[in-house]
Amino acid sequence: MTKRAGILVAVGATVAGLVTAAPSAPAAAAGPAATPLKWTACGTKAYPRLQCSTVTAPLDHDNPSGRPVTLALSRIPHTAKKSQGPLLVNPGGPGGSGLSMAGFVASSLPKKLAAQYDVIGFDPRGVGKSRPALDCLPKYFAPVRPDSVPDSLESERTARNRAASFAAACGEKHGDLLPYMDTVSAAKDLDVIRKALGAKRINYFGYSYGTYLGAVYAKLFPEHVRRLVLDSVVDPDGVWYEDNLAQDHAFDARHKAFAAWVAKNDATYRLGKDPAGVEAAWYRMRDAVKRNPAAGKVGPGELEDTFMPGGYYNGYWPRLAEAFAAYVNDKDEDALATAYKDFAEVDRSGDNGYSVYTAVQCRDAGWPQDWSAWRGDTWKAHAKAPFMSWNNTWYNAPCATWPVEPLEPLRVTNDEIGPALVLQATDDAATPYEGGVTMSRQLKGSGLVVEQGGGNHGITLSGNDCLDKHLVRYLTDGTLPAAPGSGPDAVCAALPEPKAAAATKAGANTKGKTLHGLLGFRG
């Protein structure tokens, strides 16, 4: 998955013409009778029309009369005379809260189109305002953590024991929930939501892990899928160990792209004009904070966490470069500490998100039983991609001793749903490009739209008009791009790189900043 697939096309290629698929029937027709949901106003300053509700689902879907869980919902209701039904939206994770996504998506789509949908956000089981919510070991990421790159067998053993302690804490605190924290159970929850909404079919729009959740739902309930949008796509064949190894290489490539951008803007950051030299300066900074954590908070693990968001979204590069330069050129430790607080510090919601992340990924699929496989694969990746290979291993290492046996991943290959829309950037680090290609091939008749040269994770509704045009046409009437032959069905050029400037003057793409604030990191 770390190789670039052979179907890439040159930047600047014209977008293929569009054809209209057979229009889908409206989804507003009610399914089986259900108790109407009670919606209450829960508007925010950003999304004043937001409404909230809850629905109960079985903890164990094989025992529907057993213990329930409560799922938190949000909604921006349709206002058009004719509705296209509910549009469920998800920001990824596993562990991401989706309540604010309803407001974001409804306000980001053209008003005429948004008015045709009930845009529905939700917190998946275990997340956020859904109950019960997981929190296995509060303050697990409190600084300063041990260096992520072990320099001895003893330090590696310490890190393994630390990860094992998290897994044990999850088992002790949430052992009754962990057997039911998995993507298939979460997908079945979506069908509970569908029934509660009184809809025969749903529309679904997912980012990141949300693409896998949507594909699993479509596999389980193809008859209930109307339209399916998948943005920044999980490789369904790599769930989850192989997908994480692929991330190691892709994030290292994005870190090198960041170094090249800093070098290009040497007049601003004064860190050198050679990308390799800038990258070397970053690793010297890493060595320095290993010896003396910046402001007593930022050691090497925290430094990696701080700069990792730059691999998700290049709109953060000016802010990260400013902190980098301040530390190297001015010995300003507070600049790094402030960047860590802004980009990497884990609060209570982060504790919850990580608990759900591990619970789902460790349960969804098998992980190596022998630690020597983890060690060997990580050192192999680290040799070529040192930026976050070990960091990523420790993030997932609780799965090595998870207290619940793993399931077999569901094969999402699907020829029973209507055409889906798949959108993928060629240089995405969190969900590398090949995942989008694989998913589009496994969903029969789907359309693949590629952002050529794009490195951001989450690419629609974030400022690229070309991508948004395809999204809007598909959600309007099912239009997909016409296949040009071999390769993607349509290609959009990436947005320009950000301009170098002080953080307050960077002129950041506000749409992109808002989206990536909702998507979070790691998911």
Side-chain angles (χ1 to χ4, degrees):
M1 295 195 311
T2 59
K3 297 177 182 177
R4 288 287 171 259
I7 66 171
L8 298 187
V9 294
V11 175
T14 56
V15 176
L18 297 167
V19 294
T20 304
S24 301
T35 303
L37 292 173
K38 295 181 180 179
W39 296 95
T40 58
C42 60
T44 64
K45 183 177 181 180
Y47 310 120
R49 294 179 54 229
L50 206 63
Q51 300 174 350
C52 292
S53 188
T54 60
V55 65
T56 58
L59 174 65
D60 178 1
H61 283 278
D62 290 333
N63 181 20
S65 61
R67 179 181 174 184
V69 295
T70 301
L71 307 174
L73 309 178
S74 63
R75 177 179 77 164
I76 300 291
H78 78 277
T79 56
K81 290 183 178 180
K82 186 176 181 180
S83 170
Q84 296 209 49
L87 173 63
L88 274 65
V89 296
N90 181 271
S97 170
L99 297 183
S100 295
M101 282 297 295
F104 171 77
V105 170
S107 63
S108 299
L109 292 173
K111 290 183 179 180
K112 183 178 179 180
L113 176 61
Q116 298 170 24
Y117 285 97
D118 293 305
V119 185
I120 308 293
F122 59 96
D123 278 353
R125 56 173 53 202
V127 176
K129 292 186 177 181
S130 291
R131 293 292 181 267
L134 272 63
D135 190 350
C136 297
L137 190 59
K139 300 184 179 180
Y140 179 70
F141 289 99
V144 173
R145 308 196 308 274
D147 186 359
S148 56
V149 181
D151 54 14
S152 66
L153 287 176
E154 182 180 355
S155 63
E156 183 182 332
R157 190 178 303 112
T158 297
R160 285 181 62 188
N161 290 339
R162 182 174 177 274
S165 72
F166 185 89
C170 276
E172 292 170 6
K173 193 172 183 179
H174 299 300
D176 56 334
L177 303 177
L178 296 186
Y180 311 104
M181 292 298 301
D182 60 273
T183 300
V184 168
S185 293
K188 291 179 179 178
D189 289 343
L190 296 188
D191 211 54
V192 173
I193 295 172
R194 176 194 64 80
K195 292 175 183 177
L197 294 170
K200 183 177 180 180
R201 294 190 292 169
I202 62 169
N203 308 280
Y204 181 90
F205 180 8
Y207 291 92
S208 192
Y209 164 77
T211 65
Y212 184 62
L213 176 61
V216 169
Y217 178 81
K219 182 67 174 182
L220 295 173
F221 304 102
E223 70 278 13
H224 296 316
V225 176
R226 182 172 180 264
R227 292 191 183 131
L228 182 66
V229 180
L230 308 179
D231 182 327
S232 303
V233 183
V234 165
D235 188 333
D237 290 347
V239 176
W240 288 108
Y241 185 73
E242 293 296 330
D243 280 352
N244 276 281
L245 287 175
Q247 281 187 339
D248 296 343
H249 295 270
F251 269 102
D252 194 80
R254 289 306 291 161
H255 191 58
K256 285 179 168 59
F258 166 69
W261 178 85
V262 172
K264 189 189 306 182
N265 292 286
D266 179 59
T268 301
Y269 301 114
R270 299 180 293 115
L271 289 167
K273 297 181 180 180
D274 174 39
V278 172
E279 188 180 19
W282 191 91
Y283 283 102
R284 287 195 298 272
M285 176 172 65
R286 189 189 188 284
D287 291 339
V289 300
K290 179 178 180 178
R291 294 189 298 270
N292 296 293
K297 285 188 174 183
V298 184
E302 289 76 24
L303 186 74
E304 291 161 347
D305 292 352
T306 300
F307 281 78
M308 200 177 300
Y312 285 86
Y313 176 50
N314 64 10
Y316 297 138
W317 286 1
R319 177 73 181 83
L320 293 170
E322 185 180 42
F324 180 13
Y327 181 85
V328 171
N329 296 329
D330 305 320
K331 312 302 181 187
D332 186 349
E333 296 187 9
D334 290 337
L336 274 189
T338 299
Y340 164 72
K341 181 178 180 180
D342 291 346
F343 289 109
E345 192 171 48
V346 177
D347 57 12
R348 188 174 179 180
S349 66
D351 287 335
N352 167 242
Y354 180 65
S355 297
V356 174
Y357 172 93
T358 50
V360 172
Q361 292 218 347
C362 298
R363 178 65 167 152
D364 264 358
W367 296 72
Q369 297 295 301
D370 187 347
W371 180 254
S372 65
W374 294 70
R375 177 192 295 120
D377 287 340
T378 307
W379 278 122
K380 183 178 179 181
H382 179 84
K384 295 182 178 180
F387 171 57
M388 65 159 277
S389 292
W390 271 107
N391 187 304
N392 204 21
T393 288
W394 298 126
Y395 198 79
N396 293 282
C399 295
T401 58
W402 200 246
V404 179
E405 288 295 314
L407 302 169
E408 285 292 325
L410 188 71
R411 299 290 298 178
V412 301
T413 303
N414 202 324
D415 59 4
E416 297 183 58
I417 60 171
L421 177 64
V422 178
L423 304 112
Q424 183 69 39
T426 58
D427 300 329
D428 184 349
T431 52
Y433 176 74
E434 289 76 13
V437 175
T438 299
M439 184 71 83
S440 68
R441 289 172 175 168
Q442 292 189 8
L443 302 180
K444 184 178 180 180
S446 65
L448 175 62
V449 179
V450 168
E451 186 183 42
Q452 182 69 33
N456 291 338
H457 178 65
I459 55 176
T460 53
L461 304 183
S462 58
N464 190 318
D465 292 340
C466 174
L467 294 169
D468 289 352
K469 176 178 67 176
H470 291 288
L471 173 67
V472 168
R473 289 181 177 178
Y474 178 73
L475 289 178
T476 297
D477 57 16
T479 298
L480 286 175
S486 62
D489 301 300
V491 177
C492 294
L495 293 173
E497 290 183 336
K499 295 180 180 179
T504 55
K505 301 177 182 178
N509 169 5
T510 55
K511 286 185 178 180
K513 184 178 180 181
T514 301
L515 172 63
H516 289 87
L518 292 171
L519 298 187
F521 313 125
R522 296 276 192 180

